[in-house]
Amino acid sequence: MEKINYYNVAIEEINKFKDLGRRPTLALHTCCAPCSSHALEFLTPFFDVTIAYENSNIYPEAEFNKRRDEIKWFVSEFNRRNNKDVKIVFFPYDHEGYMKELRKYAAEPEGGKRCHLCYARHIEEILKYGSENGFDYASTTLTISRQKNSQVINEIAKEIAPRFPNIKYFYSDFKKKAGLMRVREMKEEYGLYQQQYCGCEYSYRDTILRKKDQKDTENL
């Protein structure tokens, strides 16, 4: 797979419209407040952004609710501090429905095929939502995560995007240009809740086991 600088791709796309006098609309999937922080700072000068909290993969439901409430607060506070008008929509929680296809890959390591299917679900859902609601662009904040391969995420988007011809996918790599550093800074500035695992029941399981192993080692 040819390695592409998707930060440059994003800037090139922005340069196509930033001087045309109209701000395009963008539907943005995000899984939590920290992941949306730098992305909103990067995008809102150029787009009218609507965040879509579509995350039925998150386990347990209490964690889904905690992240939902945190992003609701963060978007409101981000708007207040920066004089923005970011909107947010909440998708219903359907964990069992979401996991039907993924359960057969329960033994896959983090970042493997199960995760790729999860990325594809999020990308497909945000493109579908954006397409049905008249948005110009759709995207995801998944590329901000240091645990996720931005090349893979964008290549998956390239496969899915042609199925939605009336909307453009905004390719990105939010990690670039000190993006991760800015996330850390914004977490401090806003006092954001930082989850300890990606979200799904398998990353939850692996995190619990890892912590147990660490505790057992410390007690030796």
Side-chain angles (χ1 to χ4, degrees), residues 101-139:
E101 186 180 2
L102 274 64
R103 289 203 189 283
K104 66 183 79 170
Y105 302 105
E108 283 277 320
E110 190 83 7
K113 187 170 183 179
R114 184 185 69 243
C115 292
H116 295 182
L117 286 172
C118 191
Y119 306 158
R121 284 285 299 272
H122 289 313
I123 291 167
E124 182 175 4
E125 285 298 316
I126 197 62
L127 279 163
K128 182 174 182 288
Y129 172 79
S131 177
E132 291 176 349
N133 289 277
F135 283 81
D136 300 305
Y137 288 86
S139 194

Side-chain angles (χ1 to χ4, degrees), residues 53-57 61 64 68 89-95 98 125:
Y53 185 74
E54 174 278 309
N55 296 294
S56 288
N57 59 302
E61 188 172 1
F64 172 89
R68 178 200 62 199
V89 295
F90 298 98
F91 285 50
Y93 186 67
D94 179 20
H95 183 69
Y98 191 98
E125 285 298 316

Side-chain angles (χ1 to χ4, degrees), residues 5-217:
N5 187 325
Y6 282 102
Y7 176 86
N8 289 343
V9 172
I11 295 300
E12 288 169 7
E13 187 65 29
I14 287 169
N15 285 337
K16 292 177 184 178
F17 63 75
K18 71 176 184 179
D19 296 323
L20 296 181
R22 187 182 81 85
R23 291 161 57 85
T25 54
L26 184 144
L28 180 67
H29 160 261
T30 192
C31 59
C32 64
C35 285
S36 66
S37 59
H38 168 63
L40 286 183
E41 192 174 60
F42 179 88
L43 294 167
T44 52
F46 311 107
F47 295 94
D48 287 337
V49 179
T50 295
I51 279 182
Y53 185 74
E54 174 278 309
N55 296 294
S56 288
N57 59 302
I58 293 176
Y59 175 88
E61 188 172 1
E63 179 72 15
F64 172 89
N65 292 336
K66 188 169 187 176
R67 297 190 197 187
R68 178 200 62 199
D69 294 345
E70 185 76 351
I71 199 163
K72 184 178 180 180
W73 177 87
F74 169 68
V75 168
S76 175
E77 187 67 8
F78 178 86
N79 285 340
R80 186 186 69 81
R81 295 189 190 186
N82 298 280
N83 194 29
K84 300 295 184 182
D85 187 28
V86 176
K87 298 176 177 61
I88 185 166
V89 295
F90 298 98
F91 285 50
Y93 186 67
D94 179 20
H95 183 69
E96 287 306 313
Y98 191 98
M99 293 301 296
K100 280 181 182 177
E101 186 180 2
L102 274 64
R103 289 203 189 283
K104 66 183 79 170
Y105 302 105
E108 283 277 320
E110 190 83 7
K113 187 170 183 179
R114 184 185 69 243
C115 292
H116 295 182
L117 286 172
C118 191
Y119 306 158
R121 284 285 299 272
H122 289 313
I123 291 167
E124 182 175 4
E125 285 298 316
I126 197 62
L127 279 163
K128 182 174 182 288
Y129 172 79
S131 177
E132 291 176 349
N133 289 277
F135 283 81
D136 300 305
Y137 288 86
S139 194
T140 179
T141 64
L142 289 170
T143 62
I144 191 62
S145 173
R146 65 181 180 273
Q147 285 91 17
K148 294 179 175 61
N149 187 321
S150 298
Q151 300 290 315
V152 169
I153 292 166
N154 283 296
E155 289 301 313
I156 289 171
K158 285 182 181 178
E159 295 176 4
I160 297 171
R163 305 205 315 251
F164 301 89
N166 63 329
I167 188 171
K168 295 185 74 173
Y169 188 81
F170 184 77
Y171 298 93
S172 70
D173 190 347
F174 293 117
K175 287 190 286 287
K176 296 286 188 181
K177 302 295 181 180
L180 282 173
M181 182 182 297
R182 187 62 188 134
V183 169
R184 288 193 289 271
E185 292 171 349
M186 292 183 75
K187 282 193 296 187
E188 291 295 321
E189 290 170 15
Y190 287 85
L192 297 177
Y193 163 66
Q194 176 63 66
Q195 63 274 8
Q196 299 302 307
Y197 61 102
C198 177
C200 78
E201 57 193 71
Y202 304 113
S203 62
Y204 177 79
R205 172 200 65 193
D206 294 344
T207 299
I208 295 297
L209 289 173
R210 187 163 54 249
K211 287 183 176 180
K212 182 179 182 301
D213 289 343
Q214 289 173 349
K215 187 174 181 180
D216 290 346
T217 301

